């Protein structure tokens, strides 16, 4: 959209907040601090082509809030169990919200969450990311069981459609916690995929 937004756990109100840069300074989207009902130590932020802003945060479930230009409103929460950190979200060109939470991809259509494909991962997912290609596919990149993998499925996949491991193999081992733990990926021209992660070392004490 040409604008800069940031979401974070705002200690001034013990809630998740969203700010926008107006060119010289940051201001709260919606006019005040606090988008969530309670704490939001894991969150995700995405902006739709129509200007709507979506904020995901971990409360009792994965809470989802939408800003439509004047006020924030709550959407249906995504059910979670146990650890549900590292949510990821993206909005398609036709303004549909897609999320990746606890190893499952969903989209929000007509007030209902629809699952895309089977569960991507059965274990705990760290640093999960979701992105949409221009080829009708959805991609997720994650660290699960200490291994970095990228999976793909079609945007029209039913909840029974299995995910495909991109490239036929995982990328390698990675840190899940500590200062070395990081993961991100990008989609380039022709839907080429690029992955960045903190690879484990033979000696963990090496820089």
């Amino acid at each position: 959209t040409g604008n800069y937004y940031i979401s974070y756990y705002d200690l001034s109100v013990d809630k998740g907040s969203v700010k926008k840069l107006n060119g010289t300074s940051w201001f709260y989207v919606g006019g005040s601090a606090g988008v969530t009902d309670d704490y939001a130590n894991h969150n995700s932020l995405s902006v739709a082509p129509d200007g709507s802003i979506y904020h995901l945060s971990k409360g009792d479930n994965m809470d989802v809030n939408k800003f439509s230009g004047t006020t924030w409103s709550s959407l249906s929460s995504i059910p979670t169990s146990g650890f549900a950190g590292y949510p990821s979200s993206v909005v398609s060109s036709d303004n549909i919200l897609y999320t990746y939470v606890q190893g499952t991809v969903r989209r929000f259509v007509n007030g209902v969450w629809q699952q895309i494909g089977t569960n991507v991962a059965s274990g705990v997912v760290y640093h999960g990311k979701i992105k949409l290609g221009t080829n009708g596919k959805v991609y997720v990149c994650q660290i699960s069981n200490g291994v970095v993998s990228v999976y793909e499925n079609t945007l029209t996949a039913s909840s029974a459609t299995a995910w495909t491991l991109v490239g036929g193999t995982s990328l390698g081992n990675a840190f899940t916690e500590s200062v070395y733990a990081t993961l991100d990926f990008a989609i380039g021209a022709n839907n080429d995929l690029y992955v960045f992660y903190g690879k484990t070392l033979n000696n963990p004490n090496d820089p």
Side-chain angles (χ1 to χ4, degrees):
T1 62
N3 297 305
Y4 291 94
Y5 298 87
I6 187 172
S7 64
Y8 64 101
Y9 184 15
D10 194 338
L11 294 179
S12 69
V13 290
D14 281 334
K15 297 180 180 180
S17 289
V18 177
K19 285 187 174 182
K20 177 182 178 181
L21 183 67
N22 65 6
T24 56
S25 60
W26 293 93
F27 68 94
Y28 286 112
V29 174
S32 60
V35 173
T36 61
D37 293 331
D38 53 15
Y39 66 94
N41 54 350
H42 289 274
N43 62 86
S44 175
L45 187 70
S46 53
V47 181
D50 66 5
S52 299
I53 303 171
Y54 295 91
H55 180 268
L56 276 66
S57 63
K58 173 59 179 165
D60 292 331
N61 290 298
M62 187 61 63
D63 297 325
V64 184
N65 293 279
K66 177 182 179 180
F67 184 77
S68 299
T70 55
T71 58
W72 288 94
S73 60
S74 298
L75 305 182
S76 298
S77 296
I78 300 173
T80 59
S81 61
F83 179 75
Y86 311 109
S88 184
S89 61
V90 65
V91 184
S92 64
S93 59
D94 54 351
N95 299 299
I96 295 177
L97 174 66
Y98 290 79
T99 66
Y100 186 43
V101 175
Q102 280 193 324
T104 302
V105 173
R106 298 176 177 87
R107 65 180 167 219
F108 194 70
V109 179
N110 297 324
V112 177
W113 288 107
Q114 301 174 348
Q115 182 171 328
I116 297 178
T118 57
N119 290 341
V120 183
S122 57
V124 176
V125 172
Y126 293 88
H127 308 286
K129 305 289 183 181
I130 182 172
K131 296 187 185 296
L132 305 179
T134 58
N135 54 359
K137 292 185 178 181
V138 53
Y139 298 90
V140 295
C141 184
Q142 65 185 29
I143 303 174
S144 183
N145 298 317
V147 177
V148 178
S149 302
V150 180
Y151 291 87
E152 67 177 14
N153 216 326
T154 65
L155 292 175
T156 57
S158 72
S159 59
T161 304
W163 289 78
T164 300
L165 182 62
V166 176
T169 184
S170 298
L171 281 75
N173 298 324
F175 290 100
T176 55
E177 299 291 346
S178 84
V179 294
Y180 301 109
T182 185
L183 175 70
D184 206 350
F185 79 123
I187 301 180
N190 302 315
N191 294 290
D192 295 328
L193 301 178
Y194 301 85
V195 181
F196 171 81
Y197 64 98
K199 189 179 187 302
T200 54
L201 307 171
N202 293 329
N203 180 358
N205 295 317
D206 286 344

